[in-house]
Amino acid sequence: MNRLFTAIGFLLLCLCMALTTASQAQLIAGTTPEIFKQFSEHVVKIEVVETSSAAKASTGTGFAADNSGRIVTNYHVISKLVHSPERYRIDVIDVAGGTTVGTVLGVDVVYDLAILRTQRQPKGHLVFESNPVAQGTRLYSLGHPRDLGLSIVEGTHNGLLKHTLYPKVHFTGSLNPGMSGGPTLTQDGKVVGINVATEGNQISFLVPAERAVALLDKTAKGEMRPSASFLADVGRQIHDNQSRYLAGMFEAKTPRVALAPYDLPTKPAEFFRCWADAVRRKELPYVSVTHDCSTDDYIFVSSDQSSGIVRFYHQLLSTGELNPARFFTLYSAQLQGGNAAMFGNEEEVTSFRCQTRNVATAHGKLKGVLCARQYIKLPALYDAVFRVATLGSRNAGLVSTLSLSGVSFDNVQALSRRYMESIKWQR
Amino acid sequence: MAALGYIEILDGKGGVSERIAVDGFPITVGRAYGNQVILADPFVCPRHLKIVQDEQGRLLASDLDSINGFYAASDKERIAQLQLESGSQFRIGHTTLRYVSVDHPLAPTLVEGAVKVLPLASPFAAVISGVILVLLLCLDAYLSSIERVTVANIIGETWVTVSMLATWAGMWALASRIVVSRFNFARHVTIACLALLAISALGVVAEWSEFFLPWIPILWIAGVFGYGLVLAGMVFGHLGAASFLRRRSRLWTAAAISLVVVGTSAISDFAARSKFSTVMEYTGVVKPIDAALVPANSVEDFVTGSEKLKKELDALTKKAKALQ
């Protein structure tokens, strides 16, 4: 049916050469002003409003995805409502300034997407690109950067990112806060991705269109659910997603790096980035060699919480100059030095609790510290920091730290165990 | 006229702080200037006590209907009259008095050099404990430095502690001068040095114990109770040199002060622990020692032991949910 309508629209356009309000007229190969003119009416501004003060708490962009009033946006745009439905409401504002209240139909926290519904019948909607898009294709991103009004940003498609936890389109163009949830279109107006993040300097990211299509399919029935119930979805999705990226991490297949006399895990998966460095300054009587691996990516859970970040950090300390007592003052300080604060607020996470033990692994003895905190609103998810310091040597030592965010306690235990066992050294 | 005897005003430790010659009876004791023995004690009545000699030559002290009464030696029972012998002690107001006759027997004369001064009180002890402490502080400054150290660094750090200690002992010495009329500086220095030495020793023992037995919060226990105990000992010692308080009162005072300090730090620690924080609080002490000597859990124990951590977090979550 859609194709039929499109064809009719096309014919009408060709024949009449007149302006049309055709709802799905994606066929004009346009210049930027034309694209803006033609498609901007399907783009809406989304404001999350704090109900008691009637002031907006966050803003973003969304777009009409079908005729029934369903709107696609980012989960992170509306996450405040998901976390505290009693305190917020969503206002959906169209180009003409008309405001309707939006309700949540579904969320995909892993891909940072949300589907909303408004009661207003849309004038039309955008359609998704189903064919592969070549690198270098010109793209047009629509959104409300910093609440300055609807804007169009040109850029180029630079393929799917290979080193991320989740597939993302690399968009070379300037996305800015407030444009999140907005559509990025091809020249003929098809949505290739949903604006989601930026690293500055024109490095921006889009959620691939097929993820939005999948979530739209899931919410096709459009059953109304209380807003409070979506937090459970968020928790479940994070739980389900863990097994995907944590399975096998630090097991036998994990690559190794030699920091003599240590043999240590490195880059467990493609989506990790690892860096190494050494501090050998003349004024310091010791040498510190570091190896740091981290997932670049994360799942936005709330403004203070994220999941999916895995970071590990090896620090090899050695000295030819300090006597054992002084070296161990340094070593103890490094082991305790990471008592650094992490993000988090009282409503969402508990304080940390820690366990310190001397542990004998197959490779030697080490001091192990496991600190964890629990998410309060999301069931059975934890942030954890596991740190070890190897024992036995008098002038060298390794402090190694693994941080996990938003994982189950089973995974905290499993990863701690595997991490501890993956640290090998010659005595 | 030659004196018949003396009324001695005693300090808290039984030492004579003033001696008034008595050359005839009756005499009166009180705050008023018409008395033979004038006391500057606000709890003493203008005319408080009268001492008369009866026909048999006995001396009788009688209360002149005073407000705060008349007491024999350290008795708590108020008396109206007391027969005085040479050496009898009695109390009016806050003043302890003693009557001695001129022929009161004396203790033998002490031979110079043969007297044993309380070891703590000798300047020698102050010097020795001071030197040990300075050496220890220098060693500590050296061992706890992880950068290249110079003599100036070490002396600088030590100097700060030493000058703080000297100020502390000096303040106690001033207090001593005011209360007991003697500075007792050496004794205060010794006490302060011993207390600091005890604290360092406690710190070293606690760190090593924490290293070997990380499941017991030894550093915390030492931090709260150990230091409280040292503080009590120090206060007890200082008060001994700076007041007339009896042993028992000093013990009580020291215990009370240290209890307040320990209590406050325990409460503030508890409050800090119950307050939300994003900081991981743990002690990770490592020591240079052969790993074979370190008692260790198996990996399995470590992992299963973390169930306790989970339970703690569950309880915290429950509490947080209840509050929301």
Side-chain angles (χ1 to χ4, degrees), chain A residues 133-166:
Chain A
V133 178
Q135 183 161 9
T137 304
R138 199 94 188 117
L139 297 179
Y140 304 86
S141 182
L142 288 161
H144 291 267
R146 299 194 184 276
D147 210 6
L148 296 172
L150 187 59
S151 309
I152 185 161
V153 173
E154 286 183 60
T156 39
H157 190 294
N158 268 304
L160 274 184
L161 285 183
K162 295 182 186 80
H163 304 302
T164 53
L165 197 40
Y166 321 99

PDB file of all heavy atoms in Angstrom, chain A residues 133-166:
ATOM      1  N   VAL A 133      23.539   1.818   3.023  1.00  0.00           N
ATOM      2  CA  VAL A 133      23.960   3.150   2.580  1.00  0.00           C
ATOM      3  C   VAL A 133      25.478   3.143   2.471  1.00  0.00           C
ATOM      4  O   VAL A 133      26.171   2.693   3.382  1.00  0.00           O
ATOM      5  CB  VAL A 133      23.495   4.219   3.590  1.00  0.00           C
ATOM      6  CG1 VAL A 133      23.972   5.603   3.177  1.00  0.00           C
ATOM      7  CG2 VAL A 133      21.981   4.194   3.718  1.00  0.00           C
ATOM      8  N   ALA A 134      25.976   3.643   1.359  1.00  0.00           N
ATOM      9  CA  ALA A 134      27.423   3.604   1.126  1.00  0.00           C
ATOM     10  C   ALA A 134      28.138   4.668   1.949  1.00  0.00           C
ATOM     11  O   ALA A 134      27.577   5.738   2.220  1.00  0.00           O
ATOM     12  CB  ALA A 134      27.698   3.826  -0.357  1.00  0.00           C
ATOM     13  N   GLN A 135      29.367   4.346   2.323  1.00  0.00           N
ATOM     14  CA  GLN A 135      30.179   5.324   3.047  1.00  0.00           C
ATOM     15  C   GLN A 135      30.387   6.541   2.158  1.00  0.00           C
ATOM     16  O   GLN A 135      30.626   6.420   0.962  1.00  0.00           O
ATOM     17  CB  GLN A 135      31.530   4.722   3.411  1.00  0.00           C
ATOM     18  CG  GLN A 135      32.390   5.653   4.230  1.00  0.00           C
ATOM     19  CD  GLN A 135      33.497   4.922   4.964  1.00  0.00           C
ATOM     20  OE1 GLN A 135      33.726   3.742   4.732  1.00  0.00           O
ATOM     21  NE2 GLN A 135      34.169   5.632   5.846  1.00  0.00           N
ATOM     22  N   GLY A 136      30.255   7.687   2.751  1.00  0.00           N
ATOM     23  CA  GLY A 136      30.426   8.919   1.994  1.00  0.00           C
ATOM     24  C   GLY A 136      29.120   9.546   1.552  1.00  0.00           C
ATOM     25  O   GLY A 136      29.101  10.678   1.058  1.00  0.00           O
ATOM     26  N   THR A 137      28.024   8.795   1.742  1.00  0.00           N
ATOM     27  CA  THR A 137      26.715   9.327   1.349  1.00  0.00           C
ATOM     28  C   THR A 137      26.414  10.584   2.162  1.00  0.00           C
ATOM     29  O   THR A 137      26.659  10.638   3.366  1.00  0.00           O
ATOM     30  CB  THR A 137      25.614   8.275   1.605  1.00  0.00           C
ATOM     31  OG1 THR A 137      25.966   7.083   0.915  1.00  0.00           O
ATOM     32  CG2 THR A 137      24.253   8.764   1.150  1.00  0.00           C
ATOM     33  N   ARG A 138      25.870  11.566   1.463  1.00  0.00           N
ATOM     34  CA  ARG A 138      25.520  12.811   2.134  1.00  0.00           C
ATOM     35  C   ARG A 138      24.301  12.561   3.027  1.00  0.00           C
ATOM     36  O   ARG A 138      23.321  11.956   2.588  1.00  0.00           O
ATOM     37  CB  ARG A 138      25.165  13.858   1.073  1.00  0.00           C
ATOM     38  CG  ARG A 138      25.227  15.255   1.592  1.00  0.00           C
ATOM     39  CD  ARG A 138      26.597  15.850   1.300  1.00  0.00           C
ATOM     40  NE  ARG A 138      26.738  17.138   1.965  1.00  0.00           N
ATOM     41  CZ  ARG A 138      27.649  17.359   2.898  1.00  0.00           C
ATOM     42  NH1 ARG A 138      28.467  16.415   3.286  1.00  0.00           N
ATOM     43  NH2 ARG A 138      27.750  18.557   3.426  1.00  0.00           N
ATOM     44  N   LEU A 139      24.359  13.054   4.264  1.00  0.00           N
ATOM     45  CA  LEU A 139      23.230  12.867   5.183  1.00  0.00           C
ATOM     46  C   LEU A 139      22.816  14.213   5.767  1.00  0.00           C
ATOM     47  O   LEU A 139      23.614  15.156   5.820  1.00  0.00           O
ATOM     48  CB  LEU A 139      23.617  11.916   6.319  1.00  0.00           C
ATOM     49  CG  LEU A 139      23.994  10.477   5.956  1.00  0.00           C
ATOM     50  CD1 LEU A 139      24.359   9.695   7.213  1.00  0.00           C
ATOM     51  CD2 LEU A 139      22.841   9.770   5.232  1.00  0.00           C
ATOM     52  N   TYR A 140      21.575  14.245   6.212  1.00  0.00           N
ATOM     53  CA  TYR A 140      21.024  15.493   6.772  1.00  0.00           C
ATOM     54  C   TYR A 140      20.380  15.157   8.115  1.00  0.00           C
ATOM     55  O   TYR A 140      19.467  14.334   8.173  1.00  0.00           O
ATOM     56  CB  TYR A 140      19.989  16.091   5.811  1.00  0.00           C
ATOM     57  CG  TYR A 140      20.590  16.319   4.449  1.00  0.00           C
ATOM     58  CD1 TYR A 140      20.610  15.298   3.503  1.00  0.00           C
ATOM     59  CD2 TYR A 140      21.173  17.547   4.124  1.00  0.00           C
ATOM     60  CE1 TYR A 140      21.199  15.480   2.266  1.00  0.00           C
ATOM     61  CE2 TYR A 140      21.774  17.735   2.889  1.00  0.00           C
ATOM     62  CZ  TYR A 140      21.782  16.690   1.955  1.00  0.00           C
ATOM     63  OH  TYR A 140      22.385  16.885   0.746  1.00  0.00           O
ATOM     64  N   SER A 141      20.870  15.817   9.107  1.00  0.00           N
ATOM     65  CA  SER A 141      20.357  15.513  10.431  1.00  0.00           C
ATOM     66  C   SER A 141      19.467  16.651  10.905  1.00  0.00           C
ATOM     67  O   SER A 141      19.814  17.827  10.760  1.00  0.00           O
ATOM     68  CB  SER A 141      21.535  15.328  11.391  1.00  0.00           C
ATOM     69  OG  SER A 141      21.036  15.000  12.645  1.00  0.00           O
ATOM     70  N   LEU A 142      18.311  16.297  11.465  1.00  0.00           N
ATOM     71  CA  LEU A 142      17.377  17.318  11.949  1.00  0.00           C
ATOM     72  C   LEU A 142      17.262  17.234  13.467  1.00  0.00           C
ATOM     73  O   LEU A 142      17.310  16.147  14.044  1.00  0.00           O
ATOM     74  CB  LEU A 142      15.998  17.098  11.323  1.00  0.00           C
ATOM     75  CG  LEU A 142      15.892  17.441   9.833  1.00  0.00           C
ATOM     76  CD1 LEU A 142      14.689  16.766   9.217  1.00  0.00           C
ATOM     77  CD2 LEU A 142      15.831  18.947   9.631  1.00  0.00           C
ATOM     78  N   GLY A 143      17.121  18.380  14.083  1.00  0.00           N
ATOM     79  CA  GLY A 143      16.971  18.365  15.538  1.00  0.00           C
ATOM     80  C   GLY A 143      16.930  19.766  16.103  1.00  0.00           C
ATOM     81  O   GLY A 143      16.985  20.757  15.371  1.00  0.00           O
ATOM     82  N   HIS A 144      16.800  19.807  17.418  1.00  0.00           N
ATOM     83  CA  HIS A 144      16.707  21.090  18.130  1.00  0.00           C
ATOM     84  C   HIS A 144      17.961  21.298  18.970  1.00  0.00           C
ATOM     85  O   HIS A 144      17.934  21.087  20.180  1.00  0.00           O
ATOM     86  CB  HIS A 144      15.475  21.099  19.043  1.00  0.00           C
ATOM     87  CG  HIS A 144      14.180  21.138  18.297  1.00  0.00           C
ATOM     88  ND1 HIS A 144      13.532  22.302  18.007  1.00  0.00           N
ATOM     89  CD2 HIS A 144      13.430  20.138  17.774  1.00  0.00           C
ATOM     90  CE1 HIS A 144      12.415  22.033  17.345  1.00  0.00           C
ATOM     91  NE2 HIS A 144      12.329  20.717  17.188  1.00  0.00           N
ATOM     92  N   PRO A 145      19.082  21.712  18.348  1.00  0.00           N
ATOM     93  CA  PRO A 145      20.311  21.826  19.137  1.00  0.00           C
ATOM     94  C   PRO A 145      20.173  22.895  20.213  1.00  0.00           C
ATOM     95  O   PRO A 145      19.782  24.025  19.918  1.00  0.00           O
ATOM     96  CB  PRO A 145      21.371  22.202  18.108  1.00  0.00           C
ATOM     97  CG  PRO A 145      20.613  22.797  16.982  1.00  0.00           C
ATOM     98  CD  PRO A 145      19.271  22.129  16.970  1.00  0.00           C
ATOM     99  N   ARG A 146      20.468  22.504  21.412  1.00  0.00           N
ATOM    100  CA  ARG A 146      20.440  23.411  22.568  1.00  0.00           C
ATOM    101  C   ARG A 146      19.169  24.256  22.623  1.00  0.00           C
ATOM    102  O   ARG A 146      19.198  25.428  22.996  1.00  0.00           O
ATOM    103  CB  ARG A 146      21.667  24.322  22.573  1.00  0.00           C
ATOM    104  CG  ARG A 146      22.948  23.524  22.677  1.00  0.00           C
ATOM    105  CD  ARG A 146      24.132  24.360  23.006  1.00  0.00           C
ATOM    106  NE  ARG A 146      25.344  23.543  22.996  1.00  0.00           N
ATOM    107  CZ  ARG A 146      25.768  22.800  24.023  1.00  0.00           C
ATOM    108  NH1 ARG A 146      25.084  22.779  25.137  1.00  0.00           N
ATOM    109  NH2 ARG A 146      26.871  22.090  23.930  1.00  0.00           N
ATOM    110  N   ASP A 147      18.076  23.654  22.187  1.00  0.00           N
ATOM    111  CA  ASP A 147      16.782  24.334  22.283  1.00  0.00           C
ATOM    112  C   ASP A 147      16.743  25.638  21.472  1.00  0.00           C
ATOM    113  O   ASP A 147      16.024  26.575  21.811  1.00  0.00           O
ATOM    114  CB  ASP A 147      16.463  24.618  23.768  1.00  0.00           C
ATOM    115  CG  ASP A 147      14.969  24.606  24.017  1.00  0.00           C
ATOM    116  OD1 ASP A 147      14.216  24.277  23.069  1.00  0.00           O
ATOM    117  OD2 ASP A 147      14.551  24.929  25.147  1.00  0.00           O
ATOM    118  N   LEU A 148      17.528  25.688  20.392  1.00  0.00           N
ATOM    119  CA  LEU A 148      17.610  26.933  19.613  1.00  0.00           C
ATOM    120  C   LEU A 148      16.641  26.941  18.439  1.00  0.00           C
ATOM    121  O   LEU A 148      16.676  27.836  17.611  1.00  0.00           O
ATOM    122  CB  LEU A 148      19.039  27.122  19.076  1.00  0.00           C
ATOM    123  CG  LEU A 148      20.110  27.316  20.142  1.00  0.00           C
ATOM    124  CD1 LEU A 148      21.497  27.304  19.515  1.00  0.00           C
ATOM    125  CD2 LEU A 148      19.889  28.628  20.876  1.00  0.00           C
ATOM    126  N   GLY A 149      15.819  25.937  18.330  1.00  0.00           N
ATOM    127  CA  GLY A 149      14.911  25.874  17.198  1.00  0.00           C
ATOM    128  C   GLY A 149      15.369  24.793  16.243  1.00  0.00           C
ATOM    129  O   GLY A 149      16.540  24.385  16.261  1.00  0.00           O
ATOM    130  N   LEU A 150      14.429  24.315  15.430  1.00  0.00           N
ATOM    131  CA  LEU A 150      14.726  23.187  14.546  1.00  0.00           C
ATOM    132  C   LEU A 150      15.822  23.559  13.553  1.00  0.00           C
ATOM    133  O   LEU A 150      15.752  24.606  12.905  1.00  0.00           O
ATOM    134  CB  LEU A 150      13.450  22.754  13.811  1.00  0.00           C
ATOM    135  CG  LEU A 150      13.580  21.484  12.974  1.00  0.00           C
ATOM    136  CD1 LEU A 150      14.011  20.290  13.818  1.00  0.00           C
ATOM    137  CD2 LEU A 150      12.275  21.178  12.252  1.00  0.00           C
ATOM    138  N   SER A 151      16.818  22.703  13.451  1.00  0.00           N
ATOM    139  CA  SER A 151      17.966  22.986  12.591  1.00  0.00           C
ATOM    140  C   SER A 151      18.269  21.773  11.735  1.00  0.00           C
ATOM    141  O   SER A 151      17.909  20.648  12.076  1.00  0.00           O
ATOM    142  CB  SER A 151      19.198  23.303  13.427  1.00  0.00           C
ATOM    143  OG  SER A 151      18.891  24.292  14.376  1.00  0.00           O
ATOM    144  N   ILE A 152      18.959  22.031  10.657  1.00  0.00           N
ATOM    145  CA  ILE A 152      19.405  20.922   9.808  1.00  0.00           C
ATOM    146  C   ILE A 152      20.923  20.962   9.730  1.00  0.00           C
ATOM    147  O   ILE A 152      21.526  22.021   9.622  1.00  0.00           O
ATOM    148  CB  ILE A 152      18.728  20.981   8.411  1.00  0.00           C
ATOM    149  CG1 ILE A 152      19.110  19.745   7.593  1.00  0.00           C
ATOM    150  CG2 ILE A 152      19.066  22.265   7.663  1.00  0.00           C
ATOM    151  CD1 ILE A 152      18.160  19.474   6.434  1.00  0.00           C
ATOM    152  N   VAL A 153      21.514  19.781   9.867  1.00  0.00           N
ATOM    153  CA  VAL A 153      22.979  19.689   9.870  1.00  0.00           C
ATOM    154  C   VAL A 153      23.383  18.722   8.777  1.00  0.00           C
ATOM    155  O   VAL A 153      22.864  17.616   8.696  1.00  0.00           O
ATOM    156  CB  VAL A 153      23.477  19.164  11.238  1.00  0.00           C
ATOM    157  CG1 VAL A 153      24.968  18.901  11.199  1.00  0.00           C
ATOM    158  CG2 VAL A 153      23.134  20.140  12.344  1.00  0.00           C
ATOM    159  N   GLU A 154      24.299  19.157   7.940  1.00  0.00           N
ATOM    160  CA  GLU A 154      24.772  18.263   6.884  1.00  0.00           C
ATOM    161  C   GLU A 154      25.965  17.464   7.371  1.00  0.00           C
ATOM    162  O   GLU A 154      26.744  17.932   8.197  1.00  0.00           O
ATOM    163  CB  GLU A 154      25.201  19.083   5.664  1.00  0.00           C
ATOM    164  CG  GLU A 154      24.038  19.634   4.881  1.00  0.00           C
ATOM    165  CD  GLU A 154      24.531  20.359   3.647  1.00  0.00           C
ATOM    166  OE1 GLU A 154      25.194  19.710   2.819  1.00  0.00           O
ATOM    167  OE2 GLU A 154      24.261  21.566   3.543  1.00  0.00           O
ATOM    168  N   GLY A 155      26.091  16.276   6.816  1.00  0.00           N
ATOM    169  CA  GLY A 155      27.249  15.466   7.177  1.00  0.00           C
ATOM    170  C   GLY A 155      27.352  14.281   6.243  1.00  0.00           C
ATOM    171  O   GLY A 155      26.625  14.209   5.247  1.00  0.00           O
ATOM    172  N   THR A 156      28.250  13.358   6.590  1.00  0.00           N
ATOM    173  CA  THR A 156      28.403  12.194   5.731  1.00  0.00           C
ATOM    174  C   THR A 156      28.335  10.910   6.536  1.00  0.00           C
ATOM    175  O   THR A 156      28.667  10.872   7.717  1.00  0.00           O
ATOM    176  CB  THR A 156      29.757  12.214   4.979  1.00  0.00           C
ATOM    177  OG1 THR A 156      30.747  12.693   5.869  1.00  0.00           O
ATOM    178  CG2 THR A 156      29.706  13.068   3.750  1.00  0.00           C
ATOM    179  N   HIS A 157      27.880   9.881   5.842  1.00  0.00           N
ATOM    180  CA  HIS A 157      27.789   8.552   6.423  1.00  0.00           C
ATOM    181  C   HIS A 157      29.187   7.956   6.371  1.00  0.00           C
ATOM    182  O   HIS A 157      29.798   7.917   5.310  1.00  0.00           O
ATOM    183  CB  HIS A 157      26.803   7.733   5.584  1.00  0.00           C
ATOM    184  CG  HIS A 157      26.421   6.434   6.200  1.00  0.00           C
ATOM    185  ND1 HIS A 157      27.312   5.409   6.383  1.00  0.00           N
ATOM    186  CD2 HIS A 157      25.228   5.982   6.667  1.00  0.00           C
ATOM    187  CE1 HIS A 157      26.680   4.384   6.939  1.00  0.00           C
ATOM    188  NE2 HIS A 157      25.408   4.711   7.115  1.00  0.00           N
ATOM    189  N   ASN A 158      29.701   7.514   7.488  1.00  0.00           N
ATOM    190  CA  ASN A 158      31.033   6.908   7.474  1.00  0.00           C
ATOM    191  C   ASN A 158      31.036   5.479   7.975  1.00  0.00           C
ATOM    192  O   ASN A 158      31.984   5.028   8.625  1.00  0.00           O
ATOM    193  CB  ASN A 158      32.020   7.781   8.241  1.00  0.00           C
ATOM    194  CG  ASN A 158      32.709   8.745   7.285  1.00  0.00           C
ATOM    195  OD1 ASN A 158      33.305   8.313   6.308  1.00  0.00           O
ATOM    196  ND2 ASN A 158      32.569  10.028   7.530  1.00  0.00           N
ATOM    197  N   GLY A 159      29.956   4.811   7.644  1.00  0.00           N
ATOM    198  CA  GLY A 159      29.912   3.381   7.911  1.00  0.00           C
ATOM    199  C   GLY A 159      29.527   3.032   9.332  1.00  0.00           C
ATOM    200  O   GLY A 159      29.334   3.900  10.180  1.00  0.00           O
ATOM    201  N   LEU A 160      29.428   1.726   9.571  1.00  0.00           N
ATOM    202  CA  LEU A 160      29.094   1.248  10.908  1.00  0.00           C
ATOM    203  C   LEU A 160      30.390   1.174  11.714  1.00  0.00           C
ATOM    204  O   LEU A 160      31.414   0.734  11.210  1.00  0.00           O
ATOM    205  CB  LEU A 160      28.483  -0.148  10.830  1.00  0.00           C
ATOM    206  CG  LEU A 160      26.983  -0.243  10.587  1.00  0.00           C
ATOM    207  CD1 LEU A 160      26.547  -1.696  10.647  1.00  0.00           C
ATOM    208  CD2 LEU A 160      26.183   0.569  11.604  1.00  0.00           C
ATOM    209  N   LEU A 161      30.323   1.602  12.952  1.00  0.00           N
ATOM    210  CA  LEU A 161      31.514   1.549  13.797  1.00  0.00           C
ATOM    211  C   LEU A 161      31.828   0.102  14.134  1.00  0.00           C
ATOM    212  O   LEU A 161      30.953  -0.662  14.518  1.00  0.00           O
ATOM    213  CB  LEU A 161      31.290   2.340  15.079  1.00  0.00           C
ATOM    214  CG  LEU A 161      31.331   3.847  14.926  1.00  0.00           C
ATOM    215  CD1 LEU A 161      31.155   4.483  16.286  1.00  0.00           C
ATOM    216  CD2 LEU A 161      32.639   4.298  14.299  1.00  0.00           C
ATOM    217  N   LYS A 162      33.093  -0.230  14.015  1.00  0.00           N
ATOM    218  CA  LYS A 162      33.475  -1.630  14.239  1.00  0.00           C
ATOM    219  C   LYS A 162      33.864  -1.889  15.687  1.00  0.00           C
ATOM    220  O   LYS A 162      33.746  -2.983  16.191  1.00  0.00           O
ATOM    221  CB  LYS A 162      34.647  -1.984  13.327  1.00  0.00           C
ATOM    222  CG  LYS A 162      34.281  -1.943  11.860  1.00  0.00           C
ATOM    223  CD  LYS A 162      35.455  -2.349  10.990  1.00  0.00           C
ATOM    224  CE  LYS A 162      35.150  -2.181   9.521  1.00  0.00           C
ATOM    225  NZ  LYS A 162      35.292  -0.783   9.067  1.00  0.00           N
ATOM    226  N   HIS A 163      34.366  -0.865  16.348  1.00  0.00           N
ATOM    227  CA  HIS A 163      34.925  -1.111  17.688  1.00  0.00           C
ATOM    228  C   HIS A 163      33.992  -0.670  18.801  1.00  0.00           C
ATOM    229  O   HIS A 163      34.424  -0.178  19.813  1.00  0.00           O
ATOM    230  CB  HIS A 163      36.270  -0.416  17.828  1.00  0.00           C
ATOM    231  CG  HIS A 163      37.236  -0.825  16.776  1.00  0.00           C
ATOM    232  ND1 HIS A 163      37.613  -2.134  16.599  1.00  0.00           N
ATOM    233  CD2 HIS A 163      37.871  -0.122  15.820  1.00  0.00           C
ATOM    234  CE1 HIS A 163      38.455  -2.213  15.593  1.00  0.00           C
ATOM    235  NE2 HIS A 163      38.621  -0.997  15.096  1.00  0.00           N
ATOM    236  N   THR A 164      32.738  -0.821  18.585  1.00  0.00           N
ATOM    237  CA  THR A 164      31.826  -0.435  19.651  1.00  0.00           C
ATOM    238  C   THR A 164      31.068  -1.655  20.153  1.00  0.00           C
ATOM    239  O   THR A 164      30.961  -2.661  19.465  1.00  0.00           O
ATOM    240  CB  THR A 164      30.795   0.612  19.194  1.00  0.00           C
ATOM    241  OG1 THR A 164      30.164   0.109  18.026  1.00  0.00           O
ATOM    242  CG2 THR A 164      31.450   1.931  18.915  1.00  0.00           C
ATOM    243  N   LEU A 165      30.574  -1.494  21.352  1.00  0.00           N
ATOM    244  CA  LEU A 165      29.814  -2.543  21.997  1.00  0.00           C
ATOM    245  C   LEU A 165      28.529  -2.805  21.211  1.00  0.00           C
ATOM    246  O   LEU A 165      28.057  -3.922  21.129  1.00  0.00           O
ATOM    247  CB  LEU A 165      29.496  -2.033  23.406  1.00  0.00           C
ATOM    248  CG  LEU A 165      29.054  -2.914  24.517  1.00  0.00           C
ATOM    249  CD1 LEU A 165      29.787  -4.225  24.524  1.00  0.00           C
ATOM    250  CD2 LEU A 165      29.270  -2.193  25.833  1.00  0.00           C
ATOM    251  N   TYR A 166      27.983  -1.765  20.636  1.00  0.00           N
ATOM    252  CA  TYR A 166      26.724  -1.857  19.892  1.00  0.00           C
ATOM    253  C   TYR A 166      26.936  -1.193  18.558  1.00  0.00           C
ATOM    254  O   TYR A 166      27.568  -0.143  18.489  1.00  0.00           O
ATOM    255  CB  TYR A 166      25.623  -1.115  20.658  1.00  0.00           C
ATOM    256  CG  TYR A 166      25.772  -1.339  22.110  1.00  0.00           C
ATOM    257  CD1 TYR A 166      26.389  -0.396  22.928  1.00  0.00           C
ATOM    258  CD2 TYR A 166      25.380  -2.548  22.655  1.00  0.00           C
ATOM    259  CE1 TYR A 166      26.603  -0.650  24.260  1.00  0.00           C
ATOM    260  CE2 TYR A 166      25.589  -2.810  23.994  1.00  0.00           C
ATOM    261  CZ  TYR A 166      26.201  -1.861  24.786  1.00  0.00           C
ATOM    262  OH  TYR A 166      26.421  -2.124  26.098  1.00  0.00           O
TER     263      TYR A 166
END
